[in-house]
Amino acid sequence: MRNNENGFTYPLTLVLLILFLTVFSFRVEQLVTERKLAHETAVILQEEYYFHSSSKKIEKLMQSGAVIPAKGTFSYLKGIIDFQADSPIGSVQKINFTLRLHTGETVVGRGFFDIATKKMIKWTEIN
């Protein structure tokens, strides 16, 4: 019997190495994508929480009978919300909220509050 391999192990090892590196690179890409998505989700949830807290503070001001100032600021741990109240039109008052996160992102939202029920009736985010 003749021993004639003609380089059988080198191509097999090379194919297995390329296969391993391909699968590994796909998994690393998937991990990086999931981390980016998790970070973006956390930022969006934080923005929603700050807007919700600010609108609740305005509602509490209205319910206590205090006059809403024309301009004001709410400070949070990772951002600041500036608000500007327009004069009421009928029984609806429009308040513009501007959120500035410490990471540099800025988001603008607008809340419409009913003066009679002292509740927010509509919310819109402006891109």
Side-chain angles (χ1 to χ4, degrees):
M1 198 171 196
R2 209 169 95 186
N3 189 2
N4 189 3
E5 291 183 14
N6 290 331
F8 173 72
T9 57
Y10 179 72
L12 180 65
T13 305
L14 187 62
V15 167
L16 288 176
L17 180 65
I18 291 173
L19 182 65
F20 170 75
L21 289 176
T22 304
V23 170
F24 183 72
S25 66
F26 283 136
R27 296 295 290 168
V28 168
E29 181 70 26
Q30 184 181 17
L31 176 68
V32 169
T33 303
E34 286 177 3
R35 283 187 178 177
K36 286 180 184 176
L37 182 64
H39 174 71
E40 289 297 320
T41 303
V43 168
I44 290 170
L45 288 174
Q46 190 175 43
E47 290 171 358
E48 288 180 5
Y49 173 74
Y50 288 163
F51 279 134
H52 180 73
S53 296
S54 299
S55 66
K56 287 298 179 185
K57 286 180 182 178
I58 294 291
E59 282 183 354
K60 284 183 182 178
L61 278 173
M62 293 177 98
Q63 290 171 356
S64 68
V67 176
I68 298 174
K71 290 184 180 182
T73 301
F74 296 124
S75 295
Y76 294 99
L77 185 63
K78 295 183 180 180
I80 297 172
I81 287 192
D82 297 321
F83 69 90
Q84 182 176 4
D86 294 344
S87 57
I89 300 172
S91 66
V92 177
Q93 184 171 14
K94 179 176 76 171
I95 300 177
N96 295 320
F97 295 93
T98 304
L99 170 62
R100 290 183 183 85
L101 294 176
H102 296 311
T103 58
E105 299 174 36
T106 302
V107 183
V108 178
R110 183 175 293 149
F112 295 90
F113 294 86
D114 188 2
I115 296 173
T117 61
K118 298 179 177 160
K119 298 257 182 203
M120 183 170 65
I121 55 174
K122 184 178 176 184
W123 175 261
T124 58
E125 285 189 23
I126 303 166
N127 293 333

